[in-house]
Structure formats: C-alpha cells, structure tokens
Amino acid sequence: MSERQEAARHPDGPADGTDVVRLRPRRIRLVCWSSAVVVVVLFSVIATTLTGPTGNGYGTFQRGDQFAMIGLGVLFALGALLFTRPRVEADARGIRVRNIIGSYELPWEVVRGVRFDRGAPWAALELYDDDLLPMVALQAADKQLAVDGVRALRRLHQTHLATLAERAARR
C-alpha cells in the first residue's frame, strides 16, 4: 500500500466500523535507510584499512579493532534509523502519535485542533491545555502527503466534534 493511500481514510479500522488513518513520513525514511547503509559501508571500509602500527606508538591494530570499527558503524546506523520511527494512527476514539522519542495516545476530547503552520517542519496537535504535541510523522518535506494526512486527521476530529454535538443536542 502506498503512503498516499495510507494517508486516506481506511475502512479496516476497529470492530465498530470506523475509519482509521495511518501516516508515516516518506522522505526521511529514504534518507535514513540510505544513510545507514552508507555509514555501515564506510565504517567497514575504514575497518579494513586499520592494519599495522598505530603511528609513532608501540601499538598495532588488531582484528578486534577492526570489528569494533564495524560495530561503531552499526551503532551509528541504528541511531540514524531512529528517525524512521515516527508514525500517527487515528480513528474515531482518538489519536496515537509515535515520535522519535516518546509515544502518546490521546482521546479526541483533549484535542482542540490539528495545526500545520506555514514554515513549520511538521504538524502538531493543539490540545485544550494549551500544549502543542508535535507529529513528526507529518513532515513538510513530504509535501502533498503531509497535507493529505493533516486533512484526514482534521476530518476525523470534525466527525468526533459533530458526534459530541449530536449527543449534547439529544439531551
């Protein structure tokens, strides 16, 4: 399934038949995976060149030094892959946001609106307690994909607000 289709509303949601919106960034994933491969290859090449004496000192490079250098490359690559972690999933009950560090699960009742300010690097949830919760999965670099995702989240939020208004009118 393409990212554009994931930004659209899905009927494969919870058992109550509501729509689900699933969003992940596209460009940052491509950049991070490419960077991770380059870092591992670069550190592996550097490791193969670590042979002989260390310079003017008495030490020499050993196999362990080469394996340690490759291990460092793998660690740096894993650090770069942390940036592929962000995603957003929303349905009629609420929204789940997973950023690089930290995850949040919020009901729509605490969300005042979905913001994507001009010049902002990513979208944010505006909460009723005047907090802003960034949604790194909706990045400006993804252009139309991010706009479609924000629109889908706003539709879900508006549907929830309309449902609340109907319930209040019945009472």
Side-chain angles (χ1 to χ4, degrees):
M1 180 178 304
S2 75
E3 282 84 4
R4 189 168 304 273
Q5 290 171 332
E6 287 185 21
R9 298 168 72 183
H10 286 280
D12 61 347
D16 60 353
T18 59
D19 294 333
V20 175
V21 175
R22 291 186 182 97
L23 304 161
R24 293 178 63 187
R26 180 188 306 157
R27 288 193 181 183
I28 193 73
R29 286 188 319 186
L30 293 173
V31 169
C32 287
W33 278 102
S34 303
S35 299
V37 169
V38 167
V39 165
V40 169
V41 168
L42 179 67
F43 274 73
S44 297
V45 168
I46 291 171
T48 59
T49 63
L50 291 178
T51 57
T54 60
N56 295 335
Y58 296 105
T60 59
F61 287 111
Q62 305 290 322
R63 282 273 177 226
D65 299 320
Q66 292 175 327
F67 289 130
M69 187 59 73
I70 294 171
L72 281 175
V74 169
L75 285 176
F76 287 142
L78 290 174
L81 291 178
L82 275 177
F83 291 94
T84 64
R85 187 175 186 267
R87 50 186 62 132
V88 172
E89 186 174 311
D91 56 27
R93 292 184 308 246
I95 185 166
R96 287 156 300 287
V97 178
R98 187 167 80 178
N99 288 329
I100 297 167
I101 298 175
S103 297
Y104 306 91
E105 186 167 348
L106 303 169
W108 284 117
E109 287 83 13
V110 301
V111 177
R112 182 182 295 160
V114 180
R115 295 175 56 166
F116 201 171
D117 298 332
R118 188 174 301 275
W122 45 70
L125 291 176
E126 184 177 3
L127 306 180
Y128 279 109
D129 63 357
D130 292 330
D131 279 343
L132 280 179
L133 176 65
M135 293 186 293
V136 181
L138 293 169
Q139 298 184 358
D142 287 332
K143 296 182 172 75
Q144 192 60 41
L145 178 66
V147 171
D148 293 343
V150 168
R151 287 180 180 157
L153 291 175
R154 285 178 178 163
R155 278 193 303 270
L156 273 177
H157 186 240
Q158 290 301 320
T159 301
H160 175 74
L161 293 176
T163 303
L164 288 179
E166 283 179 23
R167 287 182 192 162
R170 285 187 214 156
R171 293 182 187 176

